[in-house]
Amino acid sequence: MNNNKSSAAISLQESWASNISDYILLRRQQTHLAYNVTDAKLNTGSEKIDRTPDSGLFAALFTMLAAHLEEGHTVLTIQETEHEVPLSGHINDEVVTLYAWQQQLLEMLAMPLIALNDTQIEVQSEVDITAEVSIFVLLENLFAKQDQLWAQLALSNHEKEILVKRLDTVAALYQLLKNSNLTFFSKLIDEHTLFADVNANTNQNENINSLSKNNQPIVYQLLNNKKADKQNAAITFWLHRAWQAEFNLAARINTILDQQVTPLEIAIPDNLHENQIKAINVANNNAFSIITGGPGTGKTYTVAQLVIALQQATESGADASKSIRFSTDSASLALAAPTGKAAQRMQESLQAALDTANVELQLQEAKTIHRLLGIGRTGRPRYDANNPLGEDIIIVDEASMLGVELANYLVSAVKPGARLILLGDANQLAAVDAGAVLADLCRIPRLEPIHAELTESRRFTSDSGIGKLAYQINKAKTDTHTIWQLLKHDKVLSFQYVNNINPLQTEASLHNKIENSLSKNKNISNLTSNYHTYINKIKTLLINPIEKSVPESVKDTIASLMETFNQFRVLTAGHNGEWGDHYINKYFTQWHLTELKLPLGQNTWFHGRPVMVLQNNYELGLFNGDIGFCLQTGNERSRLEVFFENKKQGIAVNLLNEEVIATAYAMTIHKSQGSEFDHVAITFDNSHARLLSKELIYTAVTRAKKQVTIYSTKSALEKAVQTPTERHTGLALQF
C-alpha cells in the first residue's frame, strides 16, 4: 500500500469522492425505501444510512480509492503479515491497538486534515515532520482539537462541511479498525452490499465477466483466503470501473496471444545487433509483441525492418489473405501514439528508416490513439470488439504513456489475426491517466516470450556522460555519491545550486526572501544566453518578414527556426513555483520583448513567441505537443500568424484559443516525452517534492543529446533520484 507522507498536500478538491460516495449511499437507501419501506420517511432513512458503521466503511474506502485513482493507482492493497504484533497507543483516553495496515489506512484518510492542523506540523526546510509522529498522536490531536482547527482556518461553509464529513469518516473508520484484525475487517467487507468479491462473482468455468452485471461500486479480492485465520491475508480493492478495464485488457491480451500469425521472410541487415534481431523475430512471429528500450536503442529502426518485410511479402505475391496492403487508400498499417506530437515524431522516424533502406514506401499519417479509435466528446470509442479496426498491423509508440482504460480500448479494437506492436521505454514516466500498463506488461511472466528489450544505445555510448547519468538514475539502488561525481567532473553535465525558500515560509527563512529571489533571477537570466541564436534569427525575420507567398520558403524557414530552437530547452518538474514553467516562461517573455524592443505587456501574441499546443485541434491539423512560432508577416505589428513545422501556411492568431496554447521556452518534463534537444536545463526545487521521482529525472536527462544542466537544491535532487514512482495496479492479478 502506498504510504507516501507527501500526501499531506492533498487539496480540498478531493472531496468529490466523498460527495459521490454519499450520493451512492443515498440512492441505495432511496431505492430500498421505495420498494421495501413504503411508509418510511425519506429524510429519516437517509439520515440513518449516513450514520451506520457500514456507510462509514464504504465512504472511507471509496474516498481513498478515488484519491488513489487520481494519483495514478488502480488498486489499494492492505496486508496483515504473519506473526505481526499490533502497536498500542492512547486515543480519546483509551488504550487501543492498531496493525500497520490499519495505521496506514487511517493516516491516508486523515492526512488532508492532519496537514491543516497547525499543532501537528512544525515547519522544517526539507523534511516532513509527520514522518516522525505516530498515528496515535496525530489522531489524538485531531479528535481533541477539531473545534480549534475549524476556528483557526478561514473556511467557507462549504469547505467546513467537507472537512467535517471527512473527520466523521475518519472517526467511523477508526471505530471499526481499533482492537480488531484483518479477519474481522474481511468479514465486514464480505457482508457489505456495496462491495463485490472477485472470487465469488467470477465464473471460472466460463469466460464471462459476471461482475459486469452487478452494480457494486467497489470490487475486492481476498488473497490467501484459506490462511486468513493465520493473519497473513491480503485484500486488494478496485473501483469497479478500474477493475473492469484491467479485467477486459488482460482477457483481450490473452485472446490475442493465442492467435497464430504467419511469419514473414525477413532479410535482416548485417548491422543489427543481437537484441534487435530478437525484437524483429518476436514481432514477426507473434500477434502481440512488446519492444522496449531507452533513447537511441533503435526501437523504430527495428520495427522498420518488419514493415519492409511486410511490404516485400506483398510485392512477392504472397497469399492475399495474409498480406499487408500498403496502398494509400487502404487501412492496413496504422501508426499511433498517445499524443499527436509523439505520433508525428514516430512517423518521421519510421519514414526516415525506410528511406535509409531505399524502400519506396509512403506511410499513412500517424494518428493519436484517440483519433485512431474514434474517441470523441463522449469518451467512448467508435471502434471496439464488435466493430474492430481494419488494420492488419498496428504499431503504437510511447506506450509508457498508456493508461489502463485507453489501453483497454485499443487492445479491444484489434481485429482477429492482426499484429499489435507496442514500443516504449518502461523506465520513463507512467501515464497521466491511472495505471502503468507498459511497466506491468513487462513484469508479467506469461508475456516474457513476446517482450524484447533493446539495451545498446547508439545515442549514448558507454563513455557518454548523459548515458552514465541515466544509468545511475535507473539503478534499483541509487548511488548518490556517483551521481554527484558525474555532475561535478563530466564536461557535458553540470549542477547549479539554487536558493530555495521554504513554501511554508517560516520566520527564519523570510528574511532571505529578497536575497533568494535575486539569486533565482540571476540563474534564470543565465539561461537566456542559450536562446540568443534563436532571438537573433527572430530579429532577422522582423526586418525581413517570412515570405508567405512562397510555401516552400515558409517550410524551409520554419524548419531552420525549429532546428535552432531545439538546440536548447528548459524542462521543469511542474507548472508552479519559482522554478515551474509558468514563472520561467513569464520571465523569458519579458526578456524576449526587451531584446526585440517590443511593447511590454500589451498583447499575449508577439513576434517570435514560441508556443506549444495543449490540445488536439483536428480542424487546424494541430496536435497536443506541437511547437510553433508566432511571426510578423508584414510591416504592421498586428499582422501575426503562427507557423508550425511541416506546414506551408500560417494560422491567424485569432483562430488559436489562448487557453490551449502555452509559451514554450520552458515546458514540463511530462510534455517533453518523445522529444530531443541538444542541451536541456532541468529545473525543480523543494516545492516540487510531491512530483519528484527517478522516472521524472531519467526522462528529462534522456531528452538531451549533448548537454544536461540541472538547477535545483541538493536535497531535491537526492530525493528525486531515490524515489521510484510507485503505481499500485492490479493488472498482473488478472493473468
Side-chain angles (χ1 to χ4, degrees):
M1 185 176 67
N2 186 23
N3 189 27
N4 187 354
K5 302 293 182 179
S6 64
S7 61
I10 296 175
S11 72
L12 292 177
Q13 294 177 350
E14 179 193 286
S15 62
W16 67 270
S18 301
N19 292 335
I20 292 176
S21 65
D22 290 342
Y23 172 79
I24 293 174
L25 287 168
L26 178 61
R27 291 303 301 269
R28 285 256 172 170
Q29 182 66 6
Q30 289 173 336
T31 302
H32 176 76
L33 292 172
Y35 284 93
N36 300 313
V37 194
T38 56
D39 59 339
K41 293 183 179 181
L42 184 62
N43 292 336
T44 303
S46 300
E47 186 176 330
K48 181 180 179 181
I49 192 85
D50 282 341
R51 284 169 167 68
T52 62
D54 280 358
S55 299
L57 177 62
F58 169 78
L61 283 172
F62 191 98
T63 299
M64 287 185 283
L65 278 168
H68 248 38
L69 198 68
E70 287 290 299
E71 295 176 357
H73 314 289
T74 61
V75 300
L76 172 64
T77 299
I78 59 176
Q79 185 170 8
E80 188 174 284
T81 59
E82 192 173 5
H83 308 304
E84 179 186 352
V85 178
L87 294 180
S88 297
H90 289 82
I91 300 178
N92 290 340
D93 297 325
E94 69 173 326
V95 179
V96 297
T97 60
L98 294 172
Y99 285 93
W101 66 269
Q102 295 170 324
Q103 297 174 53
Q104 291 175 338
L105 281 182
L106 288 167
E107 183 179 326
M108 187 187 308
L109 187 62
M111 190 55 71
L113 297 169
I114 294 170
L116 296 173
N117 192 341
D118 293 337
T119 63
Q120 293 308 309
I121 299 179
E122 297 177 11
V123 177
Q124 296 187 358
S125 60
E126 297 189 3
V127 294
D128 189 349
I129 197 167
T130 58
E132 308 295 331
V133 181
S134 75
I135 189 63
F136 298 99
V137 176
L138 293 172
L139 291 180
E140 172 72 16
N141 277 276
L142 191 60
F143 292 152
K145 301 179 181 180
Q146 54 181 289
D147 293 337
Q148 180 182 343
L149 175 62
W150 309 141
Q152 289 176 343
L153 298 172
L155 300 172
S156 66
N157 290 335
H158 177 65
E159 290 172 334
K160 184 178 178 180
E161 182 183 354
I162 290 171
L163 292 175
V164 170
K165 279 189 175 182
R166 184 69 165 234
L167 185 60
D168 290 343
T169 305
V170 173
L173 183 64
Y174 163 72
Q175 292 296 330
L176 287 172
L177 295 180
K178 67 177 184 179
N179 303 324
S180 67
N181 58 22
L182 193 56
T183 303
F184 173 76
F185 187 72
S186 302
K187 186 173 182 291
L188 288 178
I189 297 295
D190 186 58
E191 295 173 350
H192 203 296
T193 58
L194 297 179
F195 293 79
D197 184 357
V198 171
N199 298 322
N201 286 273
T202 302
N203 191 334
Q204 300 294 335
N205 299 319
E206 300 180 25
N207 188 21
I208 297 175
N209 172 13
S210 59
L211 275 177
S212 64
K213 300 177 182 179
N214 300 329
N215 57 356
Q216 287 96 331
I218 297 179
V219 176
Y220 72 95
Q221 183 174 7
L222 181 62
L223 306 176
N224 301 325
N225 193 36
K226 295 180 180 179
K227 300 180 181 179
D229 58 335
K230 295 183 180 180
Q231 299 183 356
N232 65 343
I235 309 178
T236 296
F237 295 93
W238 293 259
L239 288 178
H240 190 282
R241 181 170 178 171
W243 180 88
Q244 187 83 60
E246 290 186 339
F247 179 94
N248 290 343
L249 176 59
R252 183 57 185 162
I253 288 176
N254 281 321
T255 300
I256 297 176
L257 287 174
D258 293 335
Q259 296 178 1
Q260 300 294 319
V261 294
T262 303
L264 300 165
E265 293 186 7
I266 297 179
I268 298 178
D270 297 333
N271 62 336
L272 297 188
H273 51 72
E274 183 181 351
N275 287 339
Q276 285 181 302
I277 296 172
K278 177 187 176 183
I280 291 173
N281 289 329
V282 165
N284 189 26
N285 294 315
N286 296 279
F288 178 56
S289 56
I290 304 168
I291 301 175
T292 61
T297 52
K299 297 186 295 292
T300 305
Y301 183 79
T302 300
V303 172
Q305 306 310 312
L306 181 65
V307 174
I308 292 170
L310 292 170
Q311 188 213 26
Q312 291 172 342
T314 302
E315 292 177 345
S316 66
D319 185 347
S321 64
K322 299 177 181 179
S323 66
I324 309 296
R325 306 178 308 275
F326 281 91
S327 62
T328 56
D329 60 344
S330 73
S332 304
L333 175 66
L335 306 176
T339 68
K341 190 62 179 177
Q344 181 185 340
R345 286 189 292 266
M346 175 196 187
Q347 180 173 357
E348 292 170 352
S349 299
L350 191 54
Q351 190 68 60
L354 296 175
D355 294 342
T356 302
N358 295 318
V359 175
E360 295 184 3
L361 176 62
Q362 187 63 43
L363 297 171
Q364 290 199 5
E365 179 190 8
K367 302 176 181 178
T368 64
I369 297 174
H370 284 78
R371 189 180 180 191
L372 176 69
L373 298 176
I375 299 176
R377 294 181 178 178
T378 63
R380 306 296 298 180
R382 175 186 174 190
Y383 296 98
D384 53 26
N386 298 319
N387 181 34
L389 295 164
E391 285 82 355
D392 297 301
I393 179 171
I394 302 168
I395 304 171
V396 179
D397 200 8
E398 300 292 347
S400 63
M401 297 182 183
L402 281 173
V404 65
E405 289 205 7
L406 186 59
N408 175 39
Y409 289 151
L410 171 67
V411 176
S412 297
V414 178
K415 73 177 183 181
R419 282 180 174 86
L420 174 63
I421 304 171
L422 300 185
L423 308 177
D425 185 350
N427 295 316
Q428 285 193 30
L429 289 164
V432 175
D433 297 327
V437 173
L438 184 65
D440 282 346
L441 296 179
C442 292
R443 290 192 289 261
I444 294 172
R446 172 162 164 69
L447 304 183
E448 186 175 343
I450 57 93
H451 174 212
E453 183 177 10
L454 305 178
T455 56
E456 295 187 25
S457 176
R458 296 174 183 260
R459 185 188 307 172
F460 305 132
T461 59
S462 58
D463 60 347
S464 162
I466 297 174
K468 290 178 181 177
L469 181 58
Y471 172 77
Q472 290 296 330
I473 294 171
N474 253 345
K475 289 174 65 175
K477 293 185 178 180
T478 306
D479 184 352
T480 56
H481 176 74
T482 302
I483 289 176
W484 285 119
Q485 290 300 308
L486 279 171
L487 291 171
K488 184 176 180 180
H489 297 293
D490 196 287
K491 61 182 181 181
V492 302
L493 307 173
S494 65
F495 183 87
Q496 300 294 324
Y497 290 89
V498 302
N499 291 324
N500 185 232
I501 303 174
N502 184 4
L504 298 178
Q505 298 286 305
T506 65
E507 288 186 13
S509 66
L510 282 175
H511 73 276
N512 292 323
K513 184 173 182 179
I514 296 176
E515 181 183 345
N516 286 343
S517 296
L518 291 174
S519 175
K520 170 200 66 182
N521 287 339
K522 182 180 178 181
N523 277 319
I524 296 178
S525 178
N526 291 337
L527 288 173
T528 62
S529 63
N530 296 282
Y531 282 122
H532 277 159
T533 305
Y534 170 75
I535 284 292
N536 288 334
K537 282 198 171 185
I538 291 299
K539 288 180 179 177
T540 301
L541 289 172
L542 191 60
I543 300 170
N544 299 304
I546 194 167
E547 299 181 35
K548 287 180 57 181
S549 60
V550 186
E552 288 301 324
S553 176
V554 171
K555 186 178 179 180
D556 293 343
T557 299
I558 299 305
S560 175
L561 202 57
M562 184 66 71
E563 182 180 0
T564 300
F565 189 63
N566 283 343
Q567 290 174 0
F568 177 74
R569 196 62 47 86
V570 180
L571 305 181
T572 70
H575 293 301
N576 302 317
E578 298 174 337
W579 291 98
D581 66 324
H582 288 171
Y583 181 88
I584 295 175
N585 278 321
K586 183 179 179 181
Y587 184 95
F588 271 71
T589 294
Q590 298 303 307
W591 167 78
H592 180 121
L593 295 173
T594 302
E595 286 289 311
L596 267 67
K597 298 180 172 58
L598 298 174
L600 298 176
Q602 292 188 0
N603 196 337
T604 56
W605 291 103
F606 50 86
H607 176 73
R609 179 192 180 192
V611 297
M612 179 172 58
V613 179
L614 303 179
Q615 290 183 13
N616 295 335
N617 186 325
Y618 298 118
E619 292 181 1
L620 297 177
L622 301 178
F623 302 104
N624 186 0
D626 279 351
I627 299 294
F629 307 100
C630 177
L631 299 175
Q632 188 173 312
T633 59
N635 295 326
E636 299 178 11
R637 286 177 174 172
S638 60
R639 297 177 63 179
L640 296 171
E641 295 182 25
V642 183
F643 295 84
F644 293 88
E645 196 174 16
N646 297 322
K647 297 188 183 303
K648 299 178 181 180
Q649 293 182 337
I651 299 172
V653 295
N654 62 347
L655 296 178
L656 298 171
N657 189 338
E658 189 65 33
E659 294 181 358
V660 295
I661 294 288
T663 302
Y665 277 118
M667 62 197 308
T668 64
I669 298 168
H670 283 83
K671 284 291 186 182
S672 75
Q673 262 186 288
S675 299
E676 296 177 3
F677 313 102
D678 290 347
H679 177 193
V680 300
I682 308 168
T683 68
F684 56 95
D685 60 23
N686 299 339
S687 68
H688 298 117
R690 292 186 69 246
L691 305 172
L692 300 179
S693 68
K694 64 167 48 199
E695 289 82 6
L696 187 80
I697 306 304
Y698 168 83
T699 301
V701 166
T702 54
R703 299 312 92 203
K705 295 186 287 186
K706 297 179 180 180
Q707 189 175 348
V708 171
T709 306
I710 299 176
Y711 291 79
S712 182
T713 63
K714 182 176 184 293
S715 61
L717 178 61
E718 291 186 348
K719 173 182 171 59
V721 300
Q722 295 180 85
T723 307
T725 299
E726 292 187 8
R727 284 282 176 98
H728 303 284
T729 63
L731 184 58
L733 296 175
Q734 309 286 4
F735 284 84

